[in-house]
Amino acid sequence: MLGLTLATACSGPGTKQRQAENARHQAALKKGAAQRQPRIPPPRRLDCARLKCVALTFDDGPGDHTARVLDSLRGAGARATFFMLGQNVASYPDVVRRMAFEGHELANHTWSHPVLTELSPAAVRTQVSRTQQAIKDASGVTPTMFRPPYGATDARVGRAVGMPQILWSLDSMDWRHRSAKRNADIGVRKSKPGGVVLFHDIHKTTASAVPRILAGLKERGFTFVTVTELFQSRRLTPGSRYTELWETP
């Protein structure tokens, strides 16, 4: 009889009320946690036909100096595009997520930086798909833009890649000239409206040059955009090559 009384007491109205309150509390906690999660900013709607837009792009990362580049971009309120190697992404997942949450564009630069024109179509597809998956696993973002290593591509590679191929209008040659001063000077003086500028975030000298590049271009009236933002007024064809906004197709 005593056991029956205890069982009845444990399952009484008060218990059901506490359970309901606890469920509401847990739901509120989950909702609050979801609201606190950072959100990936969408591309901005910008009229690069009227603005002096420039797309700064960084290849071959992420690496040891990528976070410094991100610090500089955040300080200047600038967005950029990072063409990443899939084999490097897993070593810097926090950096890749940070890129996405700070409004930068995450793009594909193959898995291991081969000369794609020397590979079979199946091997090209593997290079691309492995990198797509690595970036998605790290950030939740699936890239829509691709850059062939060395700029080496052809129609066969373009078909295998299946994404717009973004080359560049200005190669800073920062991989050859490891001089922060020289790289900053080239980036500021030679960038043009509608241009795509190539740097490499894996080099210390490039990371050191970025603050001066941003300051110099801002003084010249440039707006820093991602590749997608730069080309939003044009329909890009998968497999085709693009070097700047104003090029003749």
Side-chain angles (χ1 to χ4, degrees):
M1 189 69 177
L2 178 59
L4 178 61
T5 302
L6 289 175
T8 302
C10 289
S11 60
T15 301
K16 291 181 179 180
Q17 183 177 356
R18 287 193 296 273
Q19 289 173 341
E21 290 175 351
N22 184 58
R24 287 194 294 271
H25 178 64
Q26 293 298 324
L29 288 176
K30 290 180 180 179
K31 183 178 179 181
Q35 291 174 341
R36 289 192 297 272
Q37 286 290 328
R39 296 182 179 181
I40 297 174
R44 300 163 296 181
R45 297 301 301 176
L46 299 168
D47 186 358
C48 288
R50 300 180 63 183
L51 297 170
K52 290 178 67 175
C53 295
V54 64
L56 301 182
T57 66
F58 297 91
D59 283 13
D60 295 356
D64 291 342
H65 307 292
T66 305
R68 285 183 58 205
V69 173
L70 291 173
D71 289 343
S72 299
L73 292 168
R74 182 172 60 185
R79 292 191 185 186
T81 300
F82 291 84
F83 288 93
M84 291 180 281
L85 296 179
Q87 65 182 6
N88 293 344
V89 168
S91 299
Y92 300 91
D94 293 342
V95 171
V96 176
R97 282 192 293 272
R98 179 184 170 187
M99 290 177 188
F101 291 135
E102 293 186 357
H104 304 296
E105 182 163 16
L106 282 57
N108 192 315
H109 195 41
T110 73
W111 180 264
S112 58
H113 210 276
V115 178
L116 295 181
T117 52
E118 298 177 357
L119 301 183
S120 68
V124 171
R125 287 192 291 270
T126 296
Q127 284 279 330
V128 173
S129 63
R130 290 183 71 189
T131 303
Q132 291 288 91
Q133 190 62 53
I135 293 173
K136 184 178 180 181
D137 289 345
S139 66
V141 174
T142 300
T144 60
M145 299 292 179
F146 176 81
R147 173 170 285 165
Y150 315 106
T153 187
D154 54 24
R156 184 177 59 90
V157 169
R159 287 192 296 270
V161 168
M163 287 185 282
Q165 299 184 89
I166 308 301
L167 301 182
W168 51 85
S169 57
L170 172 61
D171 184 353
S172 68
M173 303 292 284
D174 60 341
W175 57 272
R176 175 179 292 173
H177 303 284
R178 306 296 178 85
S179 164
K181 182 180 183 305
R182 182 257 177 207
N183 294 334
D185 182 60
I186 292 294
V188 173
R189 285 195 305 106
K190 294 197 174 183
S191 293
K192 296 180 180 179
V196 178
V197 186
L198 169 60
F199 292 102
H200 297 78
D201 51 308
I202 58 172
H203 300 310
K204 181 179 180 180
T205 46
T206 297
S208 298
V210 168
R212 282 177 277 180
I213 294 166
L214 294 169
L217 290 177
K218 185 174 286 189
E219 188 173 328
R220 289 185 59 198
F222 277 92
T223 297
F224 304 105
V225 298
T226 66
V227 166
T228 290
E229 290 172 340
L230 180 70
F231 287 104
Q232 63 188 331
S233 64
R234 295 179 58 182
R235 184 179 181 275
L236 302 189
T237 303
S240 294
R241 287 166 273 185
Y242 302 89
T243 60
E244 60 183 327
L245 181 59
W246 308 119
E247 67 186 325
T248 302

